Amino acid sequence: MAYTAEIIGVGTELLLGNTVNTDAQDVSLLLSELGVNVYFHTVVGDNPTRLKQAVEIAKSRSDIIITTGGLGPTFDDLTKQALAESFGKKLVFNEAVAQQIKDFFSKRLPAVKMTENNLQQAQLPEGCVIFDNGVGTAPGCAFEAEGKHVLMLPGPPRECRAMLKACVEPYLRKLSDAEIHSHNIHIFGLGESAVEQKLRNLMENLHNPTLAPYAKDGDVTLRMTAKAASKDEAEKLMTPVMSQVCETLGDIIYGIDTISLENTTVGLLLERGITLAAAESCTGGLFSKRLTDVPGSSRAFAGGIVAYSKNAKISLLDVPPELIAEKNAVSREVALAMADGARIKLGADIGIGITGIAGPGSDSSGLEPGTVFVALTTKDSSYCRSPLLFHDRERIRIVGSSHAFDMTRRLLTGLSVD
């Protein structure tokens, strides 16, 4: 049987935007792995009447109802009461759970006096399966009634994630007769619409697996998903489609199931024992920041210099002042000189130079925002790109630094760089 699920996030703070509903994302990711179809996400405030209304709607269209939040000790934590009433169940005080709550305070929070309202968390629907909370006081629970499976999880993300892994996954795995498995194909160098155009015929004729593009700043991810009785069967469904996608898109694919473009690039640098140094202007150190976010990057990154002004380019990177005067600080020639300056000064194998106009206004030369030059040099070669970027300051910085990673990736894999 293919189950459908609805996730109901409970909490006024979610509606007000004070808290991001990451629980829904975490629950959805798990359900997709288990082959449970998630058709609806609902958010409702701390109001028992509206929560019951949401549950009644969920009953009419879902086999599994999962709530997050509203299991704590305060007066507005009413999820258990509302769902028990919706399904005609009584709340029963569980002595074992009450003792666990007391032990939690005495052993983990000895300096904190437990207030009596914490024992409200030991009130649970009759006959339910109790989900132990390994990192907090509010237990979760599950029961089956009226042909529906109802699961209640705590709202704090750390507690919710732990309970999903320890309790919810084994509970739901017994229900599902299929598994969903996915691969993420990461692309740089082509926009979402262009990727979709190349693969439209393929995507329109796919049913299992499916293929869908998702755009980020400068990147596109193709998510391939297959549903089958086992992981091996899902992989057999995806393998021929994966081959067709890779053949169609070629070297603009920078990784499959990788974390990011910078992770791919750092991995190549480490694998080949090659070092890199960077000189940045308009990106303001973002390239260096992204690179050093990757664990182990210290073995490949010699250092970075943020030379924002003309004087900094001259004094820190030995860019000739006459070159800036003749060509302008935002130019191919200066980007190449910056890359060389960083490479030579920091003793690296590869130098990166990025200069441009992030906006919102143009500089004294009259060049438009989005004018960016990204250079890469070695002792034997030099390359420079001048991508036309959108007039958005943050996007210009992100995509500009991404071009530097892509150029490095292509150099290290023997592909055309510029």
Side-chain angles (χ1 to χ4, degrees):
M1 175 182 175
Y3 287 91
T4 61
E6 180 157 351
I7 302 166
I8 302 177
V10 182
T12 302
E13 70 278 7
L14 301 176
L15 292 175
L16 295 176
N18 296 327
T19 300
V20 178
N21 189 12
T22 59
D23 290 343
Q25 179 185 30
D26 293 334
V27 176
S28 285
L29 286 171
L30 174 63
L31 294 180
S32 70
E33 292 174 7
L34 298 176
V36 177
N37 298 311
V38 180
Y39 288 165
F40 301 99
H41 282 200
T42 299
V43 177
V44 63
D46 298 306
N47 181 286
T49 301
R50 288 192 284 273
L51 176 53
K52 289 177 189 176
Q53 291 171 347
V55 171
E56 289 302 316
I57 294 171
K59 277 186 188 183
S60 69
R61 61 191 185 186
S62 302
D63 306 308
I64 300 171
I65 302 170
I66 300 179
T67 67
T68 61
L71 302 185
T74 59
F75 73 95
D76 58 351
D77 290 314
L78 302 172
T79 299
K80 283 180 295 186
Q81 294 92 318
L83 268 78
E85 291 176 16
S86 294
F87 285 91
K89 286 187 168 287
K90 295 179 181 179
L91 289 180
V92 179
F93 188 78
N94 188 296
E95 292 288 353
V97 170
Q99 188 59 51
Q100 288 175 355
I101 294 169
K102 293 174 184 177
D103 291 344
F104 184 93
F105 276 91
S106 64
K107 294 176 181 178
R108 300 196 193 185
L109 301 171
V112 178
K113 182 180 179 181
M114 188 195 81
T115 55
E116 285 300 311
N117 59 350
N118 279 280
L119 295 179
Q120 173 182 309
Q121 297 167 117
Q123 295 279 358
L124 295 162
E126 57 184 343
C128 70
V129 176
I130 298 171
F131 294 158
D132 289 335
N133 189 332
V135 293
T137 59
C141 63
F143 63 80
E144 186 176 1
E146 301 178 23
K148 311 296 179 182
H149 289 274
V150 180
L151 292 80
M152 289 176 267
L153 310 178
R158 181 165 169 262
E159 297 179 31
C160 184
R161 290 186 192 116
M163 194 172 291
L164 282 169
K165 185 66 176 175
C167 306
V168 176
E169 181 175 351
Y171 181 93
L172 292 178
R173 196 172 285 280
K174 297 174 184 177
L175 306 180
S176 181
D177 57 358
E179 298 180 14
I180 293 179
H181 293 278
S182 300
H183 288 298
N184 291 312
I185 305 163
H186 298 279
I187 299 157
F188 183 83
L190 208 60
E192 181 185 18
S193 59
V195 169
E196 193 270 349
Q197 184 66 35
K198 282 181 172 288
L199 297 171
R200 177 173 293 177
N201 290 338
L202 174 62
M203 290 191 289
E204 286 179 346
N205 290 295
L206 286 174
H207 301 287
N208 187 24
T210 59
L211 195 62
Y214 302 92
K216 300 189 298 182
D217 281 327
D219 275 31
V220 174
T221 297
L222 278 169
R223 185 171 177 84
M224 184 182 300
T225 304
K227 187 173 185 178
S230 68
K231 182 178 181 181
D232 286 344
E233 289 185 27
E235 291 294 345
K236 287 179 182 177
L237 292 171
M238 289 189 283
T239 297
V241 180
M242 180 70 74
S243 297
Q244 192 170 348
V245 171
C246 291
E247 183 179 348
T248 301
L249 297 180
D251 60 24
I252 63 170
I253 295 175
Y254 67 79
I256 295 171
D257 296 330
T258 188
I259 297 173
S260 64
L261 180 54
E262 50 265 38
N263 275 77
T264 296
T265 304
V266 170
L268 290 168
L269 289 167
L270 294 174
E271 183 181 302
R272 289 158 174 72
I274 291 174
T275 58
L276 178 148
E280 302 182 62
S281 183
C282 63
T283 48
L286 181 60
F287 174 84
S288 300
K289 187 267 181 192
R290 289 175 60 183
L291 192 150
T292 54
D293 280 344
V294 180
S297 58
S298 60
R299 302 198 305 275
F301 188 42
I305 297 170
V306 178
Y308 213 65
S309 68
K310 294 177 183 179
N311 287 338
K313 292 176 177 64
I314 295 167
S315 62
L316 298 177
L317 297 168
D318 294 335
V319 177
E322 59 272 18
L323 182 66
I324 294 176
E326 179 185 356
K327 298 295 184 179
N328 188 28
V330 178
S331 63
R332 174 187 177 89
E333 292 79 8
V334 168
L336 289 165
M338 290 171 63
D340 272 337
R343 177 176 59 81
I344 294 167
K345 286 220 174 246
L346 296 172
D349 300 310
I350 296 172
I352 294 292
I354 308 173
T355 183
I357 302 171
S362 60
D363 71 354
S364 57
S365 68
L367 293 172
E368 289 295 319
T371 303
V372 177
F373 293 89
V374 184
L376 181 153
T377 66
T378 69
K379 64 182 179 65
D380 299 316
S381 58
S382 61
Y383 310 90
C384 188
R385 288 183 185 177
S386 181
L388 181 62
L389 304 183
F390 288 103
H391 292 189
D392 174 88
R393 187 175 181 85
E394 186 60 19
R395 181 178 171 84
I396 289 168
R397 286 159 42 85
I398 292 171
V399 180
S401 59
S402 290
H403 274 281
F405 284 114
D406 186 59
M407 292 172 72
T408 306
R409 188 243 336 166
R410 297 179 74 88
L411 177 77
L412 296 175
T413 51
L415 299 171
S416 172
V417 176
D418 50 4

